[in-house]
Amino acid sequence: MAVVHILLALVLLSTTYVCSSLAVPSSDAVLIVVDQSGKGDYRTIQGAINAVASNNSELVYISIKPGIYREKIVVPADKPFITLSGTAGTNTTITWNDGGDIFDCPTVSVMASDFVAKYLTIQNEFGTRGKGIALRVSADRAAFYGCRILSYQDTLLDDFGRHYYYNCYIEGATDFICGNAASLFESCQLNSLAKNLGTITAQHRNSPSENTGFVFLGCRITGLAGGTVLGRPWGSFSRVIYANTYMSNAISPYGWHDWDDPSKERTVYYGEYRCYGPGANRSKRVRWSRELSRDESAPFLNKTIIGGRSWLRPTPTHFKTHVK
């Protein structure tokens, strides 16, 4: 029955947003260059985003030259099909310093569908004082490649929609990947800064009818020894799966936390499949987490869980100049 339940949920998940899908533009893209030195089209990233027409129907590729961009960025909901691309995650940084309300403080807020980010560091320098979101993703069909997402608490607000993270580095201490999206994290590094009582995920699924959850496939977990759990339930039906993932001794032996609400132990879905490393030993795991079988894990081991074949797209191969 567990396998049937999972398969049914994932079939529904892959079709959740079909009615809102937009026609994918051609592979040609409008090129906009951001360069702080003044040699591009705009000096600021937000300036380049503002230049995109509302209800845009073309691919827009915003190429960001290396530098530290001290900006608070919003990609509005009426500007789909935008790509923000640096040249390397270590030399192109968007940073801000704000905390408090999780919807107001993010350094970068993605509100538009069909968004892509590549080779960027997205950082909130608020530190250990409280919630300081680096990246908020509140839109369907968003993908992130080779990005570094850095803060301390609630680093990534993976709010809603279908999302894909590939080869990203995500760092924090408390609930540093949180929200209620349906997301696949593939080949990512999750680094915990916590000295004790750290939490990687706080997934917010509130009912079994919500086709959401976080899947970590082939990832790597690092950090200080013994102080971090894999997740705790923000929502009563929180769903998180780790598969083929290396877990260092940063992960505590009991693995998961119920957020001091034992009633959620009956409704969460926390699974592990073929994970390895000193933190993957399940001999002392909480009994309400699951060691998945091959059949139970199968639906989570590819991009089908986010319907990726219908919306993940290659980098544009032909560009045309942006006309101001």
Side-chain angles (χ1 to χ4, degrees):
M1 290 297 292
V3 176
V4 172
H5 173 75
I6 296 168
L7 289 172
L8 177 59
L10 291 173
V11 168
L12 291 171
L13 171 61
S14 66
T15 58
T16 299
Y17 299 95
V18 169
C19 63
S20 64
S21 179
L22 297 176
V24 177
S26 70
S27 60
D28 292 353
V30 175
L31 177 64
I32 302 176
V33 177
V34 176
D35 189 339
Q36 291 175 318
S37 73
K39 297 179 180 179
D41 299 300
Y42 296 91
R43 291 178 180 268
T44 68
I45 299 166
Q46 191 65 58
I49 294 169
N50 292 346
V52 177
S54 294
N55 302 313
N56 169 61
S57 60
E58 295 184 285
L59 295 179
V60 176
Y61 193 93
I62 299 176
S63 176
I64 305 167
K65 297 300 183 183
I68 298 174
Y69 293 81
R70 298 193 179 278
E71 302 184 51
K72 194 168 182 175
I73 304 296
V74 176
V75 183
D78 64 349
K79 297 190 178 185
F81 301 118
I82 287 177
T83 294
L84 298 181
S85 180
T87 56
T90 54
N91 69 15
T92 311
T93 297
I94 307 170
T95 186
W96 198 249
N97 183 345
D98 198 1
D101 185 272
I102 60 174
F103 297 108
D104 293 336
C105 74
T107 299
V108 174
S109 294
V110 177
M111 318 299 286
S113 67
D114 300 281
F115 174 85
V116 177
K118 294 184 174 186
Y119 316 127
L120 297 170
T121 290
I122 302 170
Q123 180 179 30
N124 191 325
E125 298 176 312
F126 193 66
T128 62
R129 292 170 287 169
K131 300 171 183 177
I133 290 79
L135 172 63
R136 171 189 177 187
V137 190
S138 298
D140 191 26
R141 302 185 301 271
F144 300 81
Y145 302 90
C147 290
R148 301 169 71 241
I149 307 167
L150 313 176
S151 188
Y152 190 83
Q153 182 172 345
D154 298 357
T155 303
L156 169 58
L157 176 54
D158 202 44
D159 189 21
F160 67 82
R162 293 169 294 174
H163 308 150
Y164 180 58
Y165 300 84
Y166 179 77
N167 195 31
C168 292
Y169 176 92
I170 307 170
E171 183 174 273
T174 305
D175 304 333
F176 64 92
I177 302 173
C178 58
N180 197 21
S183 295
L184 174 61
F185 298 79
E186 187 172 7
S187 301
C188 294
Q189 181 177 352
L190 316 174
N191 187 57
S192 174
L193 300 174
K195 296 179 180 179
N196 53 64
L197 302 178
T199 315
I200 295 175
T201 66
Q203 208 279 332
H204 201 193
R205 183 168 174 257
N206 285 306
S207 93
S209 64
E210 291 182 289
N211 303 304
T212 59
F214 299 158
V215 177
F216 299 89
L217 177 60
C219 293
R220 181 176 179 84
I221 300 172
T222 55
L224 299 176
T228 297
V229 294
L230 298 166
R232 60 179 180 173
W234 189 4
S236 297
F237 289 82
S238 180
R239 180 162 55 183
V240 181
I241 294 94
Y242 292 86
N244 300 325
T245 288
Y246 172 81
M247 298 181 181
S248 73
N249 60 4
I251 299 303
S252 68
Y254 56 90
W256 305 85
H257 194 276
D258 64 9
W259 216 328
D260 299 321
D261 184 353
S263 68
K264 292 180 179 178
E265 296 175 6
R266 300 190 301 270
T267 53
V268 299
Y269 191 99
Y270 288 159
E272 300 169 55
Y273 174 70
R274 295 189 66 181
C275 295
Y276 60 101
N281 186 337
R282 286 190 49 82
S283 63
K284 296 182 179 180
R285 284 291 195 264
V286 295
R287 288 180 294 178
W288 40 273
S289 70
R290 308 170 185 228
E291 184 172 8
L292 302 179
S293 68
R294 181 177 178 180
D295 287 343
E296 288 172 325
S297 67
F300 302 107
L301 301 183
N302 56 60
K303 297 181 183 66
T304 301
I305 61 174
I306 55 170
R309 289 186 178 182
S310 68
W311 60 271
L312 289 171
R313 62 180 187 268
T315 300
T317 54
H318 298 90
F319 297 93
K320 51 188 176 181
T321 305
H322 169 66
V323 179
K324 294 185 181 181

